[in-house]
Amino acid sequence: MPFGQEGLVVTLVGPVPKAAKVTFADEEIFNAAAQAIGPEFPADFPGKYTENLQKVEIFNSSMFWDIEELARWERRHGIEVKKEPLSIHEDYLKAEHVIFATLVEHPKVPMPQRFVACSVVLQRGVIIWNPDPGRETLFLRSYMHSSEGSGNFVNFVPRGGIQISFASEAIWFPLELTRVIQEPNSYVVLDILTQKQLNTGQLPKPFRLEKTGWMQHRGRIYHVARIAAKLSGKEKWPDLRLRPQP
């Protein structure tokens, strides 16, 4: 993620389906999933990404239907606009998506002008899937690692996350932007909540089934399938799409 030199913020930017409803969410569902299925960090998650982990605020969200409008927003917040992320965003816009963007508080650091690299190192999602009609509610939050190139770094994550609700024929999670991270890898951990047990036999590589279980959320009992993947940076990854069996 790019780093703004004014106000110690980073921007978190990504696609959502065109007719999606997007709101901020608290930690409730992330905490419930961790309690039911286990800690959200993969076994092979590097320890340096959890060292002195800080919880921060997200605020001032916007939606964009035009790539130049998005670029102006990023410049307004002191963000260096780079060609490759803009190109990915433009492809999403052409594919019936819009771009959601929000500011994320960056922890205070000495000489912030040196902190020029910020990457999403864990893409964490909890997905509730309702088959009738096909509708997904995605709770998303990103664990970030910001460094200044000589060994100094900070780790941070929003206190809550983003809730995205939309009609869909498949379970969807965006992955195309993974290739612009500056760390070697980005990890993905998704808890998929369904009314019936999810068929995970057709998971695309490198996703794997980690655990299954049951959890309660707002008075309903769901089957939970935790799937995870380790995605290398600088490599193209298609969005995850799973079609649950009826």
Side-chain angles (χ1 to χ4, degrees), residues 86-104:
L86 280 185
S87 174
I88 297 171
H89 293 315
E90 191 165 25
D91 288 343
Y92 273 117
L93 288 171
K94 292 175 181 177
E96 298 298 310
H97 291 75
V98 297
I99 305 301
F100 173 84
T102 190
L103 299 181
V104 181

Side-chain angles (χ1 to χ4, degrees), residues 59-130:
F59 55 98
N60 290 7
S61 63
S62 299
M63 302 280 276
F64 298 96
W65 288 259
D66 177 84
I67 200 67
E68 289 303 322
E69 191 180 6
L70 171 63
R72 285 193 296 271
W73 180 84
E74 295 214 337
R75 293 190 192 100
R76 192 177 305 127
H77 293 290
I79 305 299
E80 178 187 356
V81 179
K82 296 184 178 180
K83 183 177 180 180
E84 187 174 16
L86 280 185
S87 174
I88 297 171
H89 293 315
E90 191 165 25
D91 288 343
Y92 273 117
L93 288 171
K94 292 175 181 177
E96 298 298 310
H97 291 75
V98 297
I99 305 301
F100 173 84
T102 190
L103 299 181
V104 181
E105 178 188 8
H106 188 285
K108 292 183 179 180
V109 291
M111 294 181 287
Q113 67 277 8
R114 294 188 179 182
F115 282 72
V116 296
C118 186
S119 293
V120 173
V121 291
L122 173 59
Q123 303 174 60
R124 174 71 175 122
V126 178
I127 296 171
I128 300 176
W129 170 254
N130 185 353

Side-chain angles (χ1 to χ4, degrees), residues 4 7 10 21-22 27 44 71 96 113 120 122 124 142 147 163 171 173 176 183 186 188 192 194 209 211 220:
V10 295
K21 177 182 178 181
V22 185
E27 292 185 280
D44 58 345
E96 298 298 310
Q113 67 277 8
V120 173
L122 173 59
R124 174 71 175 122
S142 300
S147 65
Q163 178 178 337
I171 295 170
F173 189 83
E176 291 276 1
E183 290 294 298
S186 184
V188 184
I192 303 176
T194 51
L209 177 65
K211 298 178 183 179
R220 301 190 69 174

Side-chain angles (χ1 to χ4, degrees), residues 192 197-204 209 212 223 225-227 242:
I192 303 176
Q197 187 167 339
L198 181 68
N199 181 358
T200 55
Q202 301 299 318
L203 285 178
L209 177 65
T212 60
H223 180 267
R226 174 169 290 182
I227 64 173
L242 296 177

Side-chain angles (χ1 to χ4, degrees), residues 211-229:
K211 298 178 183 179
T212 60
W214 298 88
M215 69 172 276
Q216 181 172 322
H217 177 65
R218 298 188 176 177
R220 301 190 69 174
I221 302 295
Y222 293 95
H223 180 267
V224 187
R226 174 169 290 182
I227 64 173

